[in-house]
Amino acid sequence: MPYSAEQAKILTQALPYIQQYAGKTIVIKYGGHAMVDEDLKKSVMGDVVLLRYVGMSPILVHGGGPEITEVMKKVGKEPSFVNGLRVTDSETMEIVEMVLAGKTNKSLVSLINNQGGRAVGLSGKDANLIVAEKSEPGGVDIGYVGQVAKINPGILATLVQEGYIPVISSVAIGPNGESFNMNADHIAGELVGAVGAVKLVMMTDVKGIYDHKDDPSTLRSVLTVSEAQEMIRAGKIDKGMIPKVEACVMALKGGVERAHIIDGSEPHSLLMEVFTDKGIGTMIEAG
Amino acid sequence: MPYSAEQAKILTQALPYIQQYAGKTIVIKYGGHAMVDEDLKKSVMGDVVLLRYVGMSPILVHGGGPEITEVMKKVGKEPSFVNGLRVTDSETMEIVEMVLAGKTNKSLVSLINNQGGRAVGLSGKDANLIVAEKSEPGGVDIGYVGQVAKINPGILATLVQEGYIPVISSVAIGPNGESFNMNADHIAGELVGAVGAVKLVMMTDVKGIYDHKDDPSTLRSVLTVSEAQEMIRAGKIDKGMIPKVEACVMALKGGVERAHIIDGSEPHSLLMEVFTDKGIGTMIEAG
Amino acid sequence: MPYSAEQAKILTQALPYIQQYAGKTIVIKYGGHAMVDEDLKKSVMGDVVLLRYVGMSPILVHGGGPEITEVMKKVGKEPSFVNGLRVTDSETMEIVEMVLAGKTNKSLVSLINNQGGRAVGLSGKDANLIVAEKSEPGGVDIGYVGQVAKINPGILATLVQEGYIPVISSVAIGPNGESFNMNADHIAGELVGAVGAVKLVMMTDVKGIYDHKDDPSTLRSVLTVSEAQEMIRAGKIDKGMIPKVEACVMALKGGVERAHIIDGSEPHSLLMEVFTDKGIGTMIEAG
Amino acid sequence: MPYSAEQAKILTQALPYIQQYAGKTIVIKYGGHAMVDEDLKKSVMGDVVLLRYVGMSPILVHGGGPEITEVMKKVGKEPSFVNGLRVTDSETMEIVEMVLAGKTNKSLVSLINNQGGRAVGLSGKDANLIVAEKSEPGGVDIGYVGQVAKINPGILATLVQEGYIPVISSVAIGPNGESFNMNADHIAGELVGAVGAVKLVMMTDVKGIYDHKDDPSTLRSVLTVSEAQEMIRAGKIDKGMIPKVEACVMALKGGVERAHIIDGSEPHSLLMEVFTDKGIGTMIEAG
Amino acid sequence: MPYSAEQAKILTQALPYIQQYAGKTIVIKYGGHAMVDEDLKKSVMGDVVLLRYVGMSPILVHGGGPEITEVMKKVGKEPSFVNGLRVTDSETMEIVEMVLAGKTNKSLVSLINNQGGRAVGLSGKDANLIVAEKSEPGGVDIGYVGQVAKINPGILATLVQEGYIPVISSVAIGPNGESFNMNADHIAGELVGAVGAVKLVMMTDVKGIYDHKDDPSTLRSVLTVSEAQEMIRAGKIDKGMIPKVEACVMALKGGVERAHIIDGSEPHSLLMEVFTDKGIGTMIEAG
Amino acid sequence: MPYSAEQAKILTQALPYIQQYAGKTIVIKYGGHAMVDEDLKKSVMGDVVLLRYVGMSPILVHGGGPEITEVMKKVGKEPSFVNGLRVTDSETMEIVEMVLAGKTNKSLVSLINNQGGRAVGLSGKDANLIVAEKSEPGGVDIGYVGQVAKINPGILATLVQEGYIPVISSVAIGPNGESFNMNADHIAGELVGAVGAVKLVMMTDVKGIYDHKDDPSTLRSVLTVSEAQEMIRAGKIDKGMIPKVEACVMALKGGVERAHIIDGSEPHSLLMEVFTDKGIGTMIEAG
């Protein structure tokens, strides 16, 4: 069979998935290693453009940890963390917002548009998309760190309807118009219900959830919510993975049937998740 | 690279073509061998469904030569032809219409719908889609054989807009409501301009136009209109292929940049034409 | 009073009925003698066009018994019936479909369009309009004979909205895309609820339901559902009329207030039913 | 043939006219005797409702001479005329407006609505529908008598689109918001072009234009514009008929093919004009 | 601060009120002294135009007592009242309708249109907007005096949607198409619920409700429904004010939170009510 | 006259301007001192919200010179300028983009949203709004400094249509997706034609154009294009003002009748310009 015939056959194998998700919204949390390697970044954004062109409505959410730290160091500010959360004084918040909304966000927008998509970058301030309230985890004041108080998804509906791909940075607007630093995983999880998405894909640096921390050979393909919560309680899940698992749980409450944690550093892992039956990574489902 | 990664990569290679044809109409003349082999028929209809799901608007036109002859024989009627055109008395016309609109058409509709598409079968009578005038080739009266007098494409716009795939049989309505037997190739060629299609694909039984009749090794990949017309004059093109070439010429006049004659008996040849740069078969272009 | 003044006055008498049905859908089962007499056929289709132009939305359903038998005989196939239902092997089904969807349907479409209407012919396969499941009356397998499993009325809404008159032949699509021979009366009855029609008119060969079989002088103008069902049980209703009565009962369940059985062989009986208070034939009402 | 069958047949004879005017706008100038006889008035309004229900868009224009004079007399004011035009001082204008917009207009609206139509009464002031400039025929100042300076047909499009029947009284708004008394015939003639009507019907008290004044037996069925203008010059046309003929000429310039002067006192003359080939009264055509 | 800077600042102070009422409907009962002084009338209509331009949807309701009496006297008819209600025989009704729909209404329309608004005058007969039933207060037949039986607000939605300002006179249509003289205050009160208004403003001749009749220094700024009803029972409210208070109570039942009685003779009192926190006049609220 | 009556009167004086600009687009270049003083910034954004609420469609364009320099200094980078243009190497471009799109833009969005508007911040990269080509003024390569190659205004139409206020930072997308530093004045000038705006307002730090540099008492209220160009040639206009004047000239070519340079540091100067006849600052007009 000549090459192009093989290609054509593979295209036809994508049809059931294209049909299944036609006109449906998919929330993709984009982060980790895939976000700092320029080639991977371009490739993932190309995959997002493909999803849009075959009829799905992807919405991208991103944070940007390493880039923030890098800029803070440039201006001579030492990052500090409490329980994995960045202590965010007013000066730090300014840097966080500049990096997320001005640098990371626009570079993703640019990569999508340059590959034929039409992205519009938003922060949670635009159109009051994400309204925050101050978060004091464990009663400790760590500054402008917030949690989602309200989502106003109108602007997303407007953009998606017109064929745009929204790219959302994890900054929110507070009750007095101030900026809040948000956990991007949580925003992705909350958005699912607000926009009526049918799928949540959390892109990260590891293959998924392992039964034994750090041992990829013990990857769990499927996990119920209660199993996941038990693993968190038992300390079997990495700190960094916990908000991803929490986002999946929020998404399941928000109406999706399955949420996915996949390895963004594997080329086209997003497409593999969407266009195959067995998918990749760890799927979290109700139960 | 695992299999699904390879698949994903191939999907991304389709993206430029998906972008190019997004929201565009493609007229496909479906005929020949691919139409009598049940597996091929199902496979071609699957390809049509795929085109729709990735954002294109396919319109299918079909004739049905062999099936008509078969039914005529069953009722004890001997087919007769003048210059390759079926002599169509009133009784023959009735059979032609029953077979095309009642059998061939509905079986294509059924194969599309069963694979997740939403097809609506039409004859040229429905909504006065194709109005015919009597054709007397060489001054000979061969009965209810017509040529296109007018296309009323409104019903196609309505159906395409709502996501349906129109499947059109080559029967037209005469000035007094009578039925006319039409050349399906010509209908396809005429439709291109009427619906503003960007591509015409003629599916047939051979690989394309050969420099030397019957010698596939002399396949011409590209042919200008004047070259094609010269080959017809020189008798270098098969009788059966002539209306296909004529349809391509009509389509070029109707506004498409390129028209294609491809081998419908090759699996997924339709996708290979749409989703690769070099395409397959013979492309006819202005000049 | 001069003739045209009389005409004008009669027009004004139609006003209350035109007002009553403005924008409303009426399902008309067309069959029997009126369907084989060419003049009557043309006249009935003219009446349907009139209904559309005065603001109603007629939907036509037809079967085609005699024509099927005629073609079967031509190809040397002997029709056989079990309890009035045609035994439909695969070859018979092919003939049924060709005749209904390719001949009867298109001839009605043609007569409507030729009188200024805009008809679109459909079989139950188009847009998956009528999905069938196999029917084994009395546990006997009589082949491709089905009953309605599901109606997908979307295509009817699309067509009616754009001013088209749908003409539906009594063939349905099975779970695997196969064709099923359906009772047209039952399809008409089921459609009423699916499309939200306000009236069902069953056109047949007799004046309505008689108290004494075969005695037109005992015509019942009005019949409640329970009276009708009692008459069926008592064997007072002709076999051929039973599905018509059943269709009326389905329609009453589907939401119409009254269903009508009228004599299609009487010129303009359809208009007489719609445009007069006392109507003609037998009206079946709840109770 | 039973009565209702005859009725049904007559209905079908109206079909070609219904088709011809479907969705088209018809301007009707209503006046004369038919406007003071309550039974006739009700009957004409019923005819207008019928036109709407069979798919046409009637727009009614009315004046109201006799009623104005009657009210003037009640308040002890003596009407005076110059060349057939009412001298309209400010007090008279107030009465004119009260009678036309408050009495005549609302009684027509009421008769339409009571027979199932949905009329909305307008004066030329509403939505600035008719803007007037002062008219000084023969250089004589006769007060608030105006001619059409501009038509703003937006409100008519809005109402017609929603199924309402506009009823317009012949009062216009001047440059400073003052009221102007207008010739209703002229308003009807001007409206034709502004709303893209296809027919103008002037209802009056006589059968049409006569070759010999006052001799109905010399009724002209057809008249060209130049013949009509010649008859005016020759003094063969009644003063009161002249503005009606002028309105017809304006309408022909505004795009209609034929304009009609008919006898409103003949029952259903409006329907006879619309629904028969030969029509009634006098038709004025280009030439 | 130069004058225009001061002006600009005052504009910004209106912003919260503009935001609050953006896209909202406000019913304004216009009457009393403000309606007979030409300068005040023009000024109030200018205020209405402003409300429309800053994004609100005003609907005006008016009566016209003094003008009716004036015209009655002109035609030598003596007005008579029973319990403050005009005895309305058929001749009186004709005058009432002419004055309200033909004179008062059109003069308001004219003043709005001349200041850049787009008003359309309606009586309750137009589009069957206000359907009346006969009212016999205290069992006494006082002729064509009615109360609201039904509101058909469709025409208001159509006009408001297109940017028009409806101006409604207090005449309604009876079951047989006859005219009824209505209390304009009550119509305003009933309209609030039918159109989903958020505010009712009753413009009258006094500053509001006084604790001591005729003593403006005892003006009540706020009154609950029960307080207002108690004051009526105690005879502390003027006859003329009672229907205004009743209209406010209807409006509160119809869904507004607050209804207002203000002094229309004070320049721009309407704007003062809409654009300030404390408002003017008396506010009636639930309780 | 009590205070609120005076306020109400001033509101009515704004009406003609509100009418004039209803539904019209106004491009506002926001910059200079008004952009660093937090109170002024809030006040200007409040004025923008007001314009939106009274029916206009403001579009805001901003740069952010001082803030960029400040951040550059923080990271230890020395700004350098060639002919007033910032030399923009890749590292500088990163800072420019972070500050403009991540800090300045979002702070304006926040101030608008906090005062009841609904702003959406965009950079020229979003939806490919502003496509740049490299600019080498005087043949000198100063890095990522661009000029407008193309405007894609689709996203602005989408947002304005839905009631959002677009806030645009002066960063554009290059042919390969790279970022370009743009002159915000020029972007504002170019946008006018692309979006069909009717007014351009350039907010700056001085009162307008002076006949004698630095002498506010020689303010020119009106300047023709040719006068302005002559003044530039004669060196009478400040370097910083030149792009503002150029933007006005572009806007006049793009279709506005008048462009304005006003002093943004004067409170409510924007409203004074829009809502008064004489305006403030310097108006540039064709000629």
Side-chain angles (χ1 to χ4, degrees), chain F residues 165-184:
Chain F
I165 300 171
V167 178
I168 304 167
S169 62
S170 56
V171 171
I173 191 166
N176 303 309
E178 69 274 40
S179 308
F180 274 98
N181 185 11
M182 310 291 285
N183 182 296

Side-chain angles (χ1 to χ4, degrees), chain A residues 27-265:
Chain A
V27 172
I28 300 159
K29 162 63 204 317
Y30 175 58
H33 181 67
M35 210 159 129
V36 281
D37 177 316
E38 283 302 316
D39 284 346
L40 261 176
K41 203 155 100 172
K42 184 173 175 189
S43 162
V44 173
M45 293 306 110
D47 292 354
V48 168
V49 171
L50 179 66
L51 295 185
R52 178 80 226 186
Y53 268 97
V54 299
M56 308 172 195
S57 300
I59 293 177
L60 217 64
V61 178
H62 68 89
E67 290 186 311
I68 294 166
T69 298
E70 189 187 324
V71 173
M72 286 182 76
K73 287 183 174 155
K74 275 190 190 161
V75 304
K77 237 186 123 67
E78 197 56 41
S80 81
F81 292 85
V82 168
N83 285 326
L85 292 165
R86 186 185 299 275
V87 176
T88 309
D89 58 16
S90 132
E91 206 181 6
T92 302
M93 185 63 234
E94 199 173 295
I95 293 169
V96 165
E97 191 167 9
M98 282 200 300
V99 172
L100 290 185
K103 184 168 185 277
T104 317
N105 187 271
K106 295 315 171 196
S107 87
L108 297 177
V109 163
S110 189
L111 284 167
I112 289 174
N113 291 354
N114 215 40
Q115 293 180 84
R118 295 189 304 141
V120 172
L122 299 170
S123 92
K125 284 180 160 180
D126 292 301
N128 282 330
L129 174 57
I130 307 164
V131 181
E133 57 194 14
K134 194 171 161 59
S135 163
E136 301 203 347
V140 184
D141 183 343
I142 50 173
Y144 291 95
V145 171
Q147 58 196 24
V148 174
K150 191 166 174 226
I151 305 262
N152 292 306
I155 184 67
L156 299 178
T158 294
L159 294 174
V160 162
Q161 165 75 13
E162 294 290 315
Y164 295 107
I165 301 170
V167 178
I168 304 166
S169 63
S170 56
V171 172
I173 190 166
N176 303 309
E178 69 273 41
S179 308
F180 274 98
N181 185 12
M182 310 292 285
N183 182 295
D185 295 327
H186 287 171
I187 286 179
E190 296 274 8
L191 270 177
V192 161
V195 301
V198 298
K199 198 187 250 300
L200 171 68
V201 181
M202 308 293 298
M203 299 182 79
T204 180
D205 274 351
V206 293
K207 296 202 170 308
I209 307 289
Y210 307 146
D211 260 342
H212 300 284
K213 246 194 259 190
D214 306 326
D215 179 357
S217 74
T218 64
L219 173 71
R220 291 287 300 264
S221 296
V222 182
L223 221 53
T224 63
V225 165
S226 49
E227 286 170 342
Q229 287 170 332
E230 175 52 34
M231 286 176 78
I232 292 176
R233 265 191 301 274
K236 298 175 76 172
I237 293 185
D238 261 353
K239 276 253 164 62
M241 284 302 267
I242 290 176
K244 285 163 194 27
V245 174
E246 289 169 346
C248 291
V249 173
M250 284 178 208
L252 288 161
K253 283 186 192 153
V256 303
E257 290 183 13
R258 289 182 290 242
H260 305 268
I261 297 172
I262 68 171
D263 185 357
S265 64

Side-chain angles (χ1 to χ4, degrees), chain C residues 185-249:
Chain C
D185 295 329
H186 287 171
I187 287 178
E190 297 273 9
L191 271 176
V192 161
V195 301
V198 298
K199 198 187 249 301
L200 171 68
V201 181
M202 308 292 299
M203 299 182 79
T204 180
D205 275 350
V206 291
K207 296 204 170 307
I209 308 289
Y210 307 146
D211 260 343
H212 299 284
K213 245 194 261 191
D214 306 326
D215 179 356
S217 75
T218 64
L219 173 71
R220 292 289 298 264
S221 295
V222 182
L223 220 53
T224 63
V225 165
S226 49
E227 286 171 343
Q229 286 170 332
E230 175 53 34
M231 286 177 78
I232 292 177
R233 266 192 300 275
K236 298 175 78 172
I237 292 184
D238 260 353
K239 276 254 166 61
M241 285 302 265
I242 290 176
K244 285 163 195 25
V245 174
E246 289 170 344
C248 291
V249 174

Side-chain angles (χ1 to χ4, degrees), chain E residues 29-35 185 201-209 240-241 244 260-266 269:
Chain E
K29 161 65 204 314
Y30 175 58
H33 181 67
M35 210 159 127
D185 295 328
V201 181
M202 308 293 299
M203 299 181 79
T204 179
D205 275 351
V206 291
K207 295 202 171 308
I209 308 290
M241 284 301 266
K244 285 163 196 23
H260 306 267
I261 298 172
I262 69 172
D263 184 357
S265 64
E266 187 169 347
S269 57

Side-chain angles (χ1 to χ4, degrees), chain D residues 70-71 74-75 91 94 97-99 101-103 105-107 109-110 113-114 117-123 125-128 154-155 158-159 162 164 173-178, chain E residues 70-71 74-75 91 94 97-99 101-103 105-107 109-110 113-114 117-123 125-128 154-155 158-159 162 164 173-178:
Chain D
E70 188 187 323
V71 173
K74 275 191 190 161
V75 304
E91 207 181 4
E94 200 174 295
E97 191 168 9
M98 280 199 302
V99 172
K103 185 169 185 277
N105 187 271
K106 296 313 172 198
S107 87
V109 163
S110 189
N113 291 354
N114 216 38
R118 294 188 304 141
V120 172
L122 300 170
S123 92
K125 284 180 161 181
D126 292 300
N128 282 330
I155 183 67
T158 294
L159 293 174
E162 294 291 314
Y164 294 107
I173 190 166
N176 304 309
E178 69 275 39
Chain E
E70 188 188 324
V71 174
K74 276 191 190 161
V75 304
E91 207 180 5
E94 199 174 296
E97 190 167 10
M98 282 199 300
V99 172
K103 186 169 185 276
N105 186 271
K106 296 312 172 198
S107 87
V109 163
S110 190
N113 292 355
N114 216 39
R118 293 188 305 141
V120 172
L122 300 170
S123 92
K125 284 180 161 180
D126 292 301
N128 282 329
I155 183 68
T158 294
L159 294 174
E162 294 291 315
Y164 294 107
I173 190 165
N176 304 309
E178 70 274 40

Side-chain angles (χ1 to χ4, degrees), chain C:
Chain C
M1 207 188 287
Y3 186 60
S4 65
E6 178 60 24
Q7 285 177 301
K9 195 171 150 232
I10 284 171
L11 276 176
T12 66
Q13 289 165 353
L15 181 55
Y17 307 99
I18 294 176
Q19 292 177 340
Q20 181 179 356
Y21 296 117
K24 301 289 168 48
T25 297
I26 297 179
V27 173
I28 300 158
K29 161 64 205 313
Y30 175 57
H33 181 67
M35 210 159 129
V36 282
D37 177 315
E38 283 303 316
D39 284 346
L40 260 177
K41 202 154 102 173
K42 183 173 176 189
S43 163
V44 173
M45 292 307 110
D47 292 354
V48 169
V49 172
L50 179 66
L51 295 186
R52 178 79 226 187
Y53 268 96
V54 299
M56 308 172 196
S57 300
I59 293 177
L60 218 63
V61 178
H62 69 89
E67 291 186 310
I68 294 167
T69 298
E70 188 187 324
V71 173
M72 285 183 75
K73 285 182 175 157
K74 276 192 190 160
V75 304
K77 239 187 123 67
E78 197 55 43
S80 82
F81 293 84
V82 169
N83 285 325
L85 292 165
R86 187 185 299 274
V87 176
T88 309
D89 59 15
S90 131
E91 207 180 5
T92 302
M93 185 64 234
E94 198 173 297
I95 293 168
V96 165
E97 191 168 10
M98 280 198 302
V99 171
L100 290 184
K103 184 168 184 279
T104 318
N105 186 271
K106 296 312 172 197
S107 88
L108 297 177
V109 164
S110 190
L111 284 167
I112 288 174
N113 291 355
N114 216 39
Q115 293 179 87
R118 294 189 304 142
V120 171
L122 300 171
S123 92
K125 283 180 160 181
D126 292 301
N128 282 329
L129 174 57
I130 306 165
V131 182
E133 57 195 12
K134 194 172 162 56
S135 163
E136 302 204 346
V140 184
D141 183 343
I142 50 172
Y144 292 94
V145 172
Q147 58 196 25
V148 174
K150 192 170 174 221
I151 305 263
N152 292 306
I155 183 68
L156 299 178
T158 294
L159 294 174
V160 162
Q161 164 76 13
E162 294 291 315
Y164 295 107
I165 300 171
V167 178
I168 304 166
S169 62
S170 56
V171 171
I173 191 166
N176 304 310
E178 69 274 41
S179 308
F180 275 97
N181 186 11
M182 311 291 286
N183 181 294
D185 295 329
H186 287 171
I187 287 178
E190 297 273 9
L191 271 176
V192 161
V195 301
V198 298
K199 198 187 249 301
L200 171 68
V201 181
M202 308 292 299
M203 299 182 79
T204 180
D205 275 350
V206 291
K207 296 204 170 307
I209 308 289
Y210 307 146
D211 260 343
H212 299 284
K213 245 194 261 191
D214 306 326
D215 179 356
S217 75
T218 64
L219 173 71
R220 292 289 298 264
S221 295
V222 182
L223 220 53
T224 63
V225 165
S226 49
E227 286 171 343
Q229 286 170 332
E230 175 53 34
M231 286 177 78
I232 292 177
R233 266 192 300 275
K236 298 175 78 172
I237 292 184
D238 260 353
K239 276 254 166 61
M241 285 302 265
I242 290 176
K244 285 163 195 25
V245 174
E246 289 170 344
C248 291
V249 174
M250 284 177 207
L252 288 161
K253 283 186 193 152
V256 304
E257 290 184 12
R258 290 183 287 244
H260 305 268
I261 297 173
I262 69 172
D263 184 358
S265 65
E266 186 169 347
H268 304 307
S269 57
L270 178 58
L271 301 185
M272 283 187 266
E273 170 45 45
V274 173
F275 288 113
T276 59
D277 258 355
K278 61 188 190 79
I280 61 169
T282 297
M283 177 178 86
I284 302 188
E285 61 181 18

Side-chain angles (χ1 to χ4, degrees), chain E residues 69 72-73 75-81 86-87 89 92:
Chain E
T69 299
M72 285 183 75
K73 286 183 175 154
V75 304
K77 236 184 125 68
E78 197 55 43
S80 81
F81 293 84
R86 187 185 299 275
V87 177
D89 59 14
T92 303

